[in-house]
Amino acid sequence: MNKRNGAKIAFCGIAAALSLVILLMTVIPITEISLAALAGIVGIPVVVEFGRKYGLAVYAAVSVLSLILIPTLEGKALYIAFFGYYPVVKSALETRRLPRLAEWGVKCAIFNAAVIAAYFLMLTLFGLPADSFTIRGISLPWVFLLLGNAVFFVYDWCLTGLISKYMTAWQTRVRRLFKL
């Protein structure tokens, strides 16, 4: 194994370990969504430095290890269902130079598919009753989906800013540290 491959593996291992540590903190109540999103953000430098293939490898490793090591269902489910692979999807979509409207359409379709799939998994796999998502006749899944889309736009916008900040302020430091 040459020095470059060793640095890639070490970097990816550190990113995976950091994501797992962040997911372990989801045992603290009401932190599941934010910490799952933060664990996914750790994959950004991997995608920027080594490409989508390595980003997916880190996602797969963290997903498998989280199923074994993470005690809370919500954090690992959110990471596996959306936040873990989204930096890879974002990279793939934004490097294709699609029209902005088409790019956002695909991003929203992926987000909504993940949310809807998670909802049906909660109903079927975990046996949650459908009426537990209704308060005073208001179907909360539709409300959550609407609000979730608004939050998703903010999340994507923030990710773009973080990627830009990484590339302008941190990339040279990281490359020097790992001798990339």
Side-chain angles (χ1 to χ4, degrees), residues 23-142:
L23 286 174
L24 272 171
M25 292 189 294
T26 60
V27 297
I28 301 167
I30 72 168
T31 61
E32 294 89 1
I33 297 172
S34 59
L35 289 176
L38 184 60
I41 289 171
V42 173
I44 289 172
V46 174
V47 174
V48 170
E49 297 299 333
F50 309 121
R52 293 185 287 270
K53 181 174 78 169
Y54 283 89
L56 286 174
V58 169
Y59 163 70
V62 172
S63 296
V64 169
L65 289 172
S66 71
L67 290 172
I68 299 166
L69 300 173
I70 308 301
T72 58
L73 176 66
E74 295 89 357
K76 62 184 164 189
L78 289 168
Y79 179 85
I80 293 168
F82 182 72
F83 291 115
Y85 65 82
Y86 186 69
V88 176
V89 169
K90 181 174 177 61
S91 168
L93 288 172
E94 291 180 357
T95 56
R96 291 188 191 262
R97 307 258 186 239
L98 294 171
R100 293 288 282 169
L101 191 58
E103 179 186 311
W104 274 105
V106 172
K107 287 178 180 180
C108 285
I110 291 169
F111 173 75
N112 286 307
V115 169
I116 291 168
Y119 171 70
F120 283 109
L121 281 175
M122 284 191 285
L123 291 178
T124 57
L125 191 61
F126 303 120
L128 292 175
D131 62 344
S132 66
F133 294 102
T134 304
I135 295 178
R136 296 184 184 185
I138 299 171
S139 180
L140 291 181
W142 295 111

